[in-house]
Amino acid sequence: MRATFHLKTLAVAVATLSVASITNAAGLDRSGQDITAFLQDGTYAEAVYTYIDADVSGYDSSNNNPGDNRYVRGNATGDIAESYDFFRYGVKTDINDTFSIGVLYDEPFGAAANYEGDNNFVANTNPAQSAGEFANDQVPSGPIGNAIIGAEATTAGQGTNVEVRSENLTAILGMKLGADKNFQIYGGPVAQRVQADVKLRGLAYGPATSYTSHISPDQDYGWIAGMSYSKPEIALKAALTYRSEIDHSMDIYESYPLAPTIGGIGTPPRALPATQVTNMELTTPKSVNFDFQTGINPTTLATAKVRWVPWGDFVITPPLYNEVSQSTARPNGLDLVEYEDDQWQVELGLAKRLAPALAVSGTVGWDSGAGDVTTSLGPIDGYYSVGLGAKYNVTPEWAVSAGGKYLWFGDAKGQLPTGKIVGDFQDNDGYILGMKLSYQGK
């Protein structure tokens, strides 16, 4: 006779692996857009806190000539990755044996980087030194070179900085199908809010040094759809979830001190302002998540997560920044941020119930990254990870979980949109800590 083991006997092991789950991945991916709270049985609610601390350091390029793309190892950058934290919430309940509803909140996309110290991503505190570098033909002389010296002087000591924040609120309606209600289809609307600040400082950015932009918060809408299958007698659940792109139309303030000096495309060059407030279009990427779990024996659960995000299609194109970069060779100008490749993530795990109220878990993970070379504002090319977690049921309904994950980041070269390599970042790592409070009732 085939052995069976009901999900109830494994309940304490379920969800121990998602405390410090897929985070700090390719592109701007943060939360992994987890929807497993909606896949839980009965009435379920969770609140998850995640803290990420990464060490990302490398060397700038001592070649500051914007027309020469050769990388020449220069000064150490120090740790550019700022620690950050975020929350995830979820609540779900069954209306009857056919219909379920849920609401999920997460912070799906973000970035936090800051350069400090003596390197070419920090505005020079000694304009005479910048002038000396010009004299040594490391950067061009003439009006543009003089303007760069002036821009460096006005932002002296300031470092390159980027901060991107986003929030998602997802409403889901599910309908179970089949005689045993093993199949479910689900979907619903998604509200997304995005904002960003970028400061480019230092000789690494050539004429773009001292560029600043502030993207005001904008809220727009998309949708989610998926299907799942469950077999409770072996604790099996599988779900495939699609999230749509979300188009944003955002107000953006830009300051580009050298824009009037450089001018726009044309003969003579078209006059451009040093500052402007205008509108920018931004599309956050679609994604596909696959979540799987199955019981191996009455006390052991195996899980797998796979995620795909087409970061190769994603760009950030501020209007003034783009206009300044237009030329006869590049009539369409440059994007501020772009990625070469799409992202794949895989995470495998095991959870073991050690006692009626206690379970532990372990995971291994891989992220493909979004290509090397990558942007100087986030120079990481994927990662490998290992994680540990534990869950304790304080009562049959209430549980507390905690977990951690260690990440080895892939080496990456920081590249400007012009193709110039301005940094080399190797042998970096980071860690993630998470805590979860959850409730599950029938």
Side-chain angles (χ1 to χ4, degrees):
M1 179 180 295
R2 182 181 177 184
T4 62
F5 32 96
H6 291 279
L7 184 61
K8 184 178 180 180
T9 67
L10 275 167
V12 74
V14 173
T16 60
L17 301 110
S18 61
V19 178
S21 189
I22 298 177
T23 46
N24 206 77
L28 302 175
D29 219 9
R30 274 196 173 174
S31 72
Q33 298 183 295
D34 187 271
I35 61 100
T36 53
F38 180 76
L39 302 177
Q40 303 302 316
D41 295 325
T43 297
Y44 179 82
E46 68 177 23
V48 184
Y49 171 78
T50 301
Y51 173 83
I52 298 179
D53 193 345
D55 184 351
V56 179
S57 59
Y59 293 88
D60 69 10
S61 175
S62 61
N63 171 21
N64 292 314
N65 189 335
D68 185 350
N69 289 348
R70 291 176 302 163
Y71 174 77
V72 181
R73 179 167 168 168
N75 294 336
T77 65
D79 182 10
I80 72 167
E82 295 191 305
S83 60
Y84 61 88
D85 56 4
F86 58 90
F87 289 89
R88 186 176 81 240
Y89 306 101
V91 61
K92 172 261 177 183
T93 191
D94 296 329
I95 300 174
N96 51 40
D97 64 352
T98 299
F99 293 99
S100 301
I101 56 173
V103 177
L104 307 176
Y105 168 87
D106 72 324
E107 300 179 31
F109 308 119
N114 186 54
Y115 286 86
E116 297 178 336
D118 181 17
N119 59 75
N120 288 328
F121 300 100
V122 178
N124 201 328
T125 58
N126 183 0
Q129 181 181 342
S130 295
E133 291 180 348
F134 291 2
N136 292 327
D137 295 327
Q138 292 189 28
V139 292
S141 59
I144 292 180
N146 293 332
I148 291 176
I149 292 178
E152 289 275 289
T154 59
T155 57
Q158 295 182 18
T160 296
N161 178 271
V162 59
E163 183 172 2
V164 180
R165 305 286 305 204
S166 67
E167 298 173 282
N168 265 18
L169 189 64
T170 305
I172 307 179
L173 173 66
M175 182 174 68
K176 296 181 177 67
L177 305 171
D180 298 322
K181 307 295 185 181
N182 294 110
F183 293 92
Q184 181 178 215
I185 56 174
Y186 53 87
V190 178
Q192 184 178 89
R193 188 173 185 267
V194 178
Q195 65 184 75
D197 289 279
V198 175
K199 297 178 181 178
L200 305 183
R201 301 291 186 266
L203 295 177
Y205 297 100
T209 185
S210 301
Y211 172 84
T212 300
S213 65
H214 170 69
I215 300 174
S216 299
D218 176 76
Q219 180 170 303
D220 273 288
Y221 303 91
W223 53 274
I224 184 175
M227 62 182 71
S228 65
Y229 172 78
S230 66
K231 194 170 185 179
E233 58 267 28
I234 58 170
L236 186 149
K237 289 184 179 182
L240 187 67
T241 307
Y242 173 86
R243 285 182 179 269
S244 72
E245 296 179 337
I246 298 182
D247 297 323
H248 293 268
S249 182
M250 320 175 78
D251 291 331
I252 178 172
Y253 162 82
E254 294 178 86
S255 172
Y256 201 135
L258 270 68
T261 303
I262 299 171
I265 189 171
T267 305
R270 180 163 46 90
L272 293 175
T275 63
Q276 72 174 27
V277 177
T278 186
N279 186 264
M280 182 183 78
E281 303 296 322
L282 176 71
T283 300
T284 55
K286 59 189 174 185
S287 64
V288 177
N289 281 22
F290 176 70
D291 295 278
F292 177 83
Q293 70 172 51
T294 187
I296 297 177
N297 59 48
T299 61
T300 307
L301 192 73
T303 67
K305 292 175 176 285
V306 180
R307 177 168 167 81
W308 172 76
V309 186
W311 285 109
D313 298 334
F314 176 82
V315 295
I316 299 178
T317 312
L320 181 57
Y321 180 94
N322 177 264
E323 283 187 272
V324 175
S325 68
Q326 291 175 7
S327 66
T328 53
R330 288 192 298 259
N332 296 322
L334 297 171
D335 305 308
L336 177 62
V337 174
E338 62 180 344
Y339 299 99
E340 288 189 341
D341 300 329
D342 296 346
Q343 164 202 3
W344 285 92
Q345 292 176 319
V346 179
E347 186 175 80
L348 306 176
L350 285 174
K352 177 72 174 179
R353 182 167 62 89
L354 301 180
L358 177 66
V360 295
S361 63
T363 63
V364 294
W366 167 78
D367 183 292
S368 69
D372 179 28
V373 294
T374 186
T375 170
S376 62
L377 304 178
I380 293 172
D381 184 25
Y383 65 76
Y384 290 94
S385 69
V386 294
L388 294 174
K391 179 182 179 184
Y392 180 74
N393 273 62
V394 181
T395 71
E397 294 81 22
W398 289 94
V400 177
S401 305
K405 182 183 292 185
Y406 183 79
L407 306 102
W408 294 268
F409 297 128
D411 298 341
K413 291 182 173 61
Q415 178 178 264
L416 301 185
T418 59
K420 181 176 177 61
I421 304 297
V422 292
D424 188 17
F425 300 82
Q426 299 184 21
D427 302 323
N428 292 310
D429 58 8
Y431 65 88
I432 303 170
L433 300 176
M435 294 190 65
K436 176 194 291 185
L437 176 66
S438 60
Y439 170 88
Q440 187 164 25
K442 298 298 183 183

